[in-house]
Amino acid sequence: MPSSRRDFIRQASAIGAGTLISSTLPSSLAQQVSAQPSPTPIVIASANGLHAVVKAMEVIQTGGDALDGVVAGVNIVEDDPNDTSVGYGGLPNEDGVVELDAAVMHGPTHRGGAVAAIRSIKNPSRVARTVMERSDHVLLVGEGALRFAKTHGFKEDDLLTDKAREEWLKWKENLTTKDDWLPPHDENTQDIGGLFAPFYRNHGTIHCSAIDLKGNISCVTTTSGLAFKISGRVGDSPILGAGLFVDNEIGAAGSTGRGEANLINCSSVMIVEYMRQGKSPEDACLMACQRIVDHNRMRRLKDDRGRPNFDVKFYALNKRGEFGSASLFSVGKMAVHEGKEARLVDSAYLYKR
Ligand code: GLY
């Protein structure tokens, strides 16, 4: 059963949901949280990662590093033309061009790499890894990211499938004044955004985290981002601390959903810090959800009951191999593989849809 908001508030009250918590802990507590590494490998992912967790586990069980596993896992989804939220076949921007974002983090070396708004490359997660391993930078964007990828032998492809193009055309043909270009507005403005308000836009993405046979943790997040976005828009996925974060001694976290809400809350690093404080992965994810709700001040981003009119989901794994996920609205799922088989598990949530 997913946890409800009430359970969460009770459990979280000691720590103060929605408040920013310092990462500086008494070392005894930090040691206690990190002292018991998971004895067995585990892989978690967003719900579209059922095949990804199987592949990642296969790589890890044959001795691969957690990062080898999660990147091989998400490559399956990036290559899948039927997943319109990631890689090849992802829904394009408002100009009909597919632009992808991805990031990786490697726990044992605490390094990260990312690309944003990269065109024509099917596997941005592999380019993100190459940025980490073969440059002194962390994030490359747009034309520069593409040039870097080509320098390293990545081949260009047309990423726009007919299915994605037709969906884009339908969106374009039905546009009225309700698009992303907003007139001047303030906190109390409501009637803009209309049908195309954030709740109704595609925010797919895949996040995958894993612990390998050595107890090391790594993760990846990859996406084609918000459907029909303004060209050049970058979401949370390639931003370390927002779309994903790892501390090899504590755990990993990642996100899917409305990137804008996550970018202004840096939730993945917060989730890892909440886990450092001793919170379970699920409670840490719920606290990140609550923090987004607490910071959501703009009227155009609220429903009639004052709740967000968008969703965000978080996935977390701690050093002991415990995992959890949560979203603002019911009922999300996450994919899990603990060594035998892949399964979907219900996520906790703040609000019943
Ligand atoms: N979370 C994916 C995005 O907003 O781009």
Side-chain angles (χ1 to χ4, degrees):
M1 278 288 278
S3 301
S4 69
R5 177 188 172 92
R6 187 179 311 162
D7 293 339
F8 159 59
I9 290 171
R10 194 178 56 241
Q11 289 161 7
S13 59
I15 214 158
T19 57
L20 199 134
I21 293 172
S22 161
S23 67
T24 313
L25 266 187
S27 58
S28 58
L29 180 50
Q31 279 157 8
Q32 188 187 315
V33 172
S34 65
Q36 302 155 294
S38 172
T40 50
I42 179 164
V43 186
I44 65 167
S46 41
N48 57 346
L50 213 48
H51 296 301
V53 297
V54 172
K55 180 68 188 176
M57 183 56 79
E58 210 176 282
V59 170
I60 288 169
Q61 280 178 331
T62 52
D65 185 273
L67 187 60
D68 297 331
V70 295
V71 171
V74 301
N75 285 169
I76 294 174
V77 185
E78 288 175 331
D79 289 341
D80 179 359
N82 293 314
D83 189 315
T84 56
S85 69
V86 178
Y88 176 59
L91 289 174
N93 65 19
E94 66 177 1
D95 302 325
V97 180
V98 181
E99 290 185 336
L100 306 175
D101 300 337
V104 298
M105 264 195 95
H106 186 238
T109 53
H110 201 78
R111 288 181 302 163
V115 288
I118 187 170
R119 299 180 175 189
S120 309
I121 302 289
K122 264 186 182 174
N123 299 120
S125 61
R126 289 177 46 221
V127 185
R129 182 176 186 163
T130 309
V131 170
M132 181 183 87
E133 292 177 338
R134 303 286 293 271
S135 84
D136 189 35
H137 304 317
V138 171
L139 172 62
L140 294 180
V141 306
E143 183 54 39
L146 176 59
R147 273 211 304 276
F148 176 84
K150 284 161 65 179
T151 303
H152 283 279
F154 286 86
K155 297 282 175 270
E156 287 184 88
D157 279 298
D158 180 0
L159 304 184
L160 187 67
T161 58
D162 276 349
K163 178 177 169 181
R165 183 185 51 73
E166 276 161 22
E167 280 196 43
W168 167 72
L169 207 54
K170 189 166 143 200
W171 170 80
K172 203 171 170 59
E173 283 172 352
N174 288 291
L175 267 183
T176 61
T177 54
K178 295 164 179 153
D179 58 16
D180 281 329
W181 302 94
L182 302 177
H185 63 284
D186 64 25
E187 283 193 359
N188 300 314
T189 310
Q190 186 177 7
D191 292 320
I192 52 174
L195 247 189
F196 296 101
F199 222 174
Y200 303 98
R201 299 275 288 279
N202 183 317
H203 277 102
T205 292
I206 179 167
H207 169 77
C208 188
S209 299
I211 302 181
D212 62 25
L213 291 169
K214 293 183 180 145
N216 287 321
I217 311 171
S218 289
C219 65
V220 59
T221 303
T222 176
T223 188
S224 52
L226 176 67
F228 321 132
K229 59 197 172 187
I230 294 174
S231 175
R233 178 264 188 189
V234 173
D236 56 333
S237 303
I239 305 302
L240 308 186
L244 76 174
F245 196 75
V246 173
D247 183 320
N248 204 45
E249 305 311 314
I250 304 298
S255 64
T256 62
R258 179 176 160 80
E260 282 72 10
N262 190 15
L263 279 170
I264 52 177
N265 285 285
C266 288
S267 308
S268 291
V269 70
M270 291 304 300
I271 290 169
V272 171
E273 295 310 318
Y274 293 146
M275 292 195 293
R276 191 193 306 276
Q277 300 275 349
K279 302 308 284 184
S280 71
E282 182 178 282
D283 282 351
C285 290
L286 280 164
M287 290 173 77
C289 290
Q290 185 64 51
R291 193 163 171 271
I292 284 178
V293 172
D294 293 344
H295 286 157
N296 189 41
R297 311 257 158 84
M298 303 301 285
R299 182 65 186 89
R300 72 180 181 86
L301 295 175
K302 294 181 183 185
D303 68 13
D304 291 343
R305 295 161 64 182
R307 308 176 308 180
N309 62 5
F310 55 83
D311 205 0
V312 186
K313 299 188 176 78
F314 297 109
Y315 314 88
L317 180 63
N318 70 17
K319 188 75 174 171
R320 290 190 287 260
E322 296 159 348
F323 57 86
S325 68
S327 48
L328 303 189
F329 289 90
S330 65
V331 174
K333 290 188 186 294
M334 74 186 298
V336 181
H337 200 309
E338 294 174 276
K340 286 209 172 96
E341 61 189 6
R343 64 196 163 98
L344 287 176
V345 175
D346 283 348
S347 303
Y349 56 85
L350 291 185
Y351 304 114
K352 240 185 167 33
R353 208 188 279 279

